[in-house]
């Protein structure tokens, strides 16, 4: 009997331990599930990006190609446009979530008319020591300086364009105004180059790699690099109102974008002894840009625009632009730039990204 009792007692004890063990396992499993829920991936968000096939869109190309957006659970989709203004219109209307394009008088007029969008990051600027845009004269022009342009013709793309702005600011830097010259809108980059070659105008504003092409072909000479004359936020990343309201998705997008701007900067904008030298991943970045812009790598290498390493916007210049466009009566009314600029989203994204 004693032996049987011991057997029964042992069996009961074993059973109770099994039950406790199972209970503990279930408890652990529940804790694990809760932890998994607490640390689960951020909500997947599809983001349509309106952009042009321009070199200045390089960080967006890199972010897509290298999977930086995917890392943040952002499904970034490129939506291609043929001109800049429709991108701003589509962003304000919510047809795309992000717009990547030039900052023009037309954009400011949209805002003045009540349309909503936010400029949140850098997508290209004029910066001292980096070639992006320049003023050119015909190679055999007797003119040697901006001061000698009084009474002359300057070719730009369109009224209210970034080229219009650059022409006005350059003239003012050298004691002239737009009233001292005749601006000739030529509607396209090709039109600018043809007008310079045929000497229909005395000067043009032009961007890279077209500057290098003109100089190499021998019919134009650079008189002034815009970046050496002034800091200028030529283009930006815009958010639609809907995306801006989704702070989590907006910050994740900008975190990926800042990672891409760093990748771009370190590859193609590093300097040594005052000169730009190829950095890490130089050929890879040029190859990515070539893939997305349908250009030859050698052409891309001629003109890689300056973009802040963290994608930070030159915020003070936005007000400078608005004031200038208002002075020239190129925008309908003055606007409060604090309503269209948001740098906080990027600042918080960069802080989360770390160094």
């Amino acid at each position: 009997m004693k032996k049987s009792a011991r057997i029964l007692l042992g069996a009961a004890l074993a059973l109770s331990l099994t039950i406790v063990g199972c209970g503990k396992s279930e408890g652990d499993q529940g804790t694990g599930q809760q932890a998994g829920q607490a640390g689960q991936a951020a909500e997947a968000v599809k983001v349509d990006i309106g952009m042009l096939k321009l070199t200045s869109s390089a960080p967006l190309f890199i972010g897509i190609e290298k999977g930086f957006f995917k890392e943040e659970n952002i499904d970034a989709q490129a939506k291609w446009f043929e001109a800049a203004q429709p991108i701003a219109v589509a962003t304000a209307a919510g047809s795309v979530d992000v717009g990547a394009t030039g900052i023009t008088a037309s954009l400011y007029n949209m805002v003045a008319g009540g349309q909503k969008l936010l400029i949140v990051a850098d997508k290209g600027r004029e910066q001292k020591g980096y070639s992006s845009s320049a003023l050119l004269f015909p190679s055999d022009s007797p003119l040697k300086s901006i001061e000698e342009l009084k009474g002359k013709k300057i070719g730009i793309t369109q009224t209210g364009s970034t080229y219009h702005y650059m022409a006005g600011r350059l003239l003012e830097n050298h004691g002239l105004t737009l009233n001292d010259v005749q601006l000739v809108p030529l509607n396209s980059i090709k039109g600018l180059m043809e007008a310079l070659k045929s000497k229909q105008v005395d000067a043009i504003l032009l961007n890279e790699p077209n500057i290098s092409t003109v100089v190499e072909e021998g019919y134009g000479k650079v008189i002034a690099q815009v970046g050496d004359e002034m800091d200028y936020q030529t283009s930006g990343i815009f958010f639609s109102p809907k995306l801006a309201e989704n702070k989590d998705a907006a910050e994740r997008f900008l975190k990926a974008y800042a990672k891409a701007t760093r990748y771009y900067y370190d590859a193609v904008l590093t300097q040594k002894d005052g000169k730009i030298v190829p950095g890490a991943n130089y050929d890879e970045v040029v190859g990515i840009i070539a893939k997305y812009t349908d250009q030859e790598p050698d052409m891309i290498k001629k003109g890689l625009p300056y973009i802040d390493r963290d994608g930070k916007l030159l915020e003070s210049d936005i007000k400078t632009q608005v004031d200038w466009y208002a002075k020239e009566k190129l925008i309908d009314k003055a606007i409060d730039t604090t309503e269209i600029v948001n740098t906080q989203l990027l600042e918080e994204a960069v802080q989360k990204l770390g160094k």
Side-chain angles (χ1 to χ4, degrees):
M1 291 293 293
K2 290 182 180 180
K3 183 178 181 182
S4 299
R6 284 198 300 270
I7 291 172
L8 288 172
L9 182 59
L13 181 59
L15 179 61
S16 66
L17 288 172
T18 301
I19 292 170
V20 171
C22 289
K24 186 176 181 181
S25 176
E26 288 170 359
D28 286 348
Q29 187 177 5
T31 303
Q33 287 174 344
Q34 290 170 2
Q37 290 171 355
Q40 66 187 12
E43 179 187 3
V45 177
K46 183 173 179 288
V47 175
D48 290 332
I49 310 170
M51 63 176 113
L52 302 170
K53 293 188 175 185
L54 298 176
T55 304
S56 60
S57 298
L60 295 168
F61 306 152
I62 292 167
I64 293 170
E65 192 73 9
K66 298 293 292 181
F68 296 158
F69 291 115
K70 283 185 178 178
E71 289 173 4
E72 297 299 326
N73 225 1
I74 298 290
D75 179 16
Q77 296 290 326
K79 301 296 179 184
W80 302 109
F81 286 71
E82 296 297 325
Q85 180 60 13
I87 296 177
V89 173
T91 308
S95 301
V96 296
D97 305 292
V98 174
T101 189
I103 303 172
T104 65
S106 296
L107 183 142
Y108 294 129
N109 275 321
M110 280 175 48
V111 174
Q115 299 205 56
K116 303 292 185 183
L117 51 72
L118 285 175
I119 309 173
V120 297
D122 182 16
K123 185 196 162 283
R125 71 170 74 160
E126 297 296 338
Q127 181 86 6
K128 187 175 180 62
Y130 295 87
S131 175
S132 183
S133 302
L135 181 75
L136 291 88
F137 291 177
S139 56
D140 58 354
S141 172
L143 305 179
K144 292 181 171 54
S145 68
I146 295 174
E147 287 83 355
E148 295 177 82
L149 283 173
K150 188 170 184 176
K152 305 299 182 182
K153 295 180 179 179
I154 303 177
I156 61 171
T157 49
Q158 295 177 327
T159 300
S161 66
T162 55
Y163 290 87
H164 191 160
Y165 180 82
M166 287 187 282
R169 290 287 309 280
L170 286 176
L171 290 168
E172 289 172 0
N173 283 358
H174 292 266
L176 300 175
T177 71
L178 288 174
N179 293 328
D180 294 318
V181 302
Q182 180 183 347
L183 290 185
V184 183
L186 294 163
N187 299 316
S188 68
I189 297 297
K190 184 178 179 182
L192 289 172
M193 296 168 76
E194 289 176 349
L196 186 73
K197 193 171 188 177
S198 59
K199 301 176 187 175
Q200 297 174 47
V201 294
D202 300 289
I204 63 169
L205 271 298
L206 200 60
N207 65 341
E208 286 286 14
N210 304 297
I211 297 167
S212 295
T213 298
V214 167
V215 172
E216 287 173 9
E217 292 184 5
Y219 63 88
K221 59 184 178 182
V222 174
I223 297 302
Q225 292 284 353
V226 175
D228 291 343
E229 294 276 335
M230 63 183 187
D231 291 335
Y232 170 35
Q233 188 69 60
T234 56
S235 57
I237 299 294
F238 311 128
F239 277 0
S240 69
K242 182 179 178 181
L243 179 59
E245 288 169 7
N246 187 345
K247 186 178 178 183
D248 175 63
E251 284 188 3
R252 283 190 281 130
F253 180 92
L254 288 172
K255 185 179 174 184
Y257 183 74
K259 189 171 183 179
T261 56
R262 290 178 180 184
Y263 203 88
Y264 170 81
Y265 187 100
D266 292 345
V268 304
L269 296 179
T270 54
Q271 289 192 349
K272 184 177 181 180
D273 299 327
K275 293 183 179 180
I276 300 171
V277 296
N281 309 306
Y282 179 84
D283 289 331
E284 179 195 18
V285 165
V286 169
I288 290 172
I289 297 169
K291 173 182 174 180
Y292 281 83
T293 61
D294 302 322
Q295 294 184 55
E296 292 298 320
D298 286 345
M299 285 294 291
I300 290 163
K301 291 175 182 179
K302 292 178 181 179
L304 290 153
Y306 183 87
I307 299 174
D308 181 79
R309 190 173 182 272
D310 285 333
K312 291 183 179 179
L313 193 71
L314 190 60
E315 184 179 3
S316 61
D317 187 57
I318 303 300
K319 187 176 188 312
T320 300
Q321 291 179 40
V322 168
D323 291 344
W324 187 89
Y325 282 123
K327 173 176 70 76
E328 296 296 326
K329 296 181 170 41
L330 291 167
I331 58 177
D332 298 331
K333 63 180 181 180
I335 58 175
D336 182 358
T337 56
T338 62
E339 294 181 5
I340 60 170
V341 175
N342 183 322
T343 57
Q344 185 177 355
L345 286 170
L346 179 64
E347 287 168 5
E348 292 179 8
V350 168
Q351 187 174 13
K352 290 177 181 177
L353 180 61
K355 294 184 178 181

